[in-house]
Amino acid sequence: VQLQASGGGLVQDGDSLRLSCTHSGRTFRSYLGWFRQAPGKEREFVATISAIDGFTYYSDSVKGRFTISGDNAKNTVYLQMHSLRPEDTAVYYCAARVSIATLAAGIPTTLTDYEFWGQGTQVTVSS
């Protein structure tokens, strides 16, 4: 599975931005997710969407401001971000999970839950 993220940029506090991630390859994907990594911090979970039934799940820090969605016809997953804050500044990564094995947590939210990763796209929110 290959993933290509795009759409990052420099925005101001309160602005909106939409990230895109195109994914390709014959391997079935069960979940597509977004993670982010701020300077000096560990990569953290942002959102995920089930490629099977469209179920979505968000981290508490973005819930209500970010929306993940997918377009299966275009093999693209989006992350619509509203009310951006300086603390949202990070490199954003998309990832794909191909395993259909049941997770103890039920929802894939850790780095090791995803087998394939794209390159990141930088999002910078100025105050």
Side-chain angles (χ1 to χ4, degrees), residues 30-31 48 50 55 57 97 100-109 113-114:
S30 60
Y31 278 88
T48 191
S50 167
F55 172 80
Y57 186 77
R97 173 177 174 82
I100 58 172
T102 301
L103 293 165
I107 302 167
T109 60
D113 290 336
Y114 294 82

Side-chain angles (χ1 to χ4, degrees), residues 29 55 68 77 81 83 86 91 105 123:
R29 275 80 81 184
F55 172 80
I68 188 171
V77 62
M81 306 183 291
S83 302
V91 177
V123 172

Side-chain angles (χ1 to χ4, degrees), residues 5 11 27-28 30-31 34 37 39 41-42 52 63-64 66 81 87-88 94-95 100 104 117 124:
V11 297
T27 307
F28 170 78
S30 60
Y31 278 88
W34 286 96
Q37 188 166 17
K41 295 188 177 181
E42 295 185 351
I52 300 172
K63 195 177 300 181
F66 291 11
M81 306 183 291
E87 52 264 39
D88 294 317
C94 59
I100 58 172
W117 291 83
T124 303

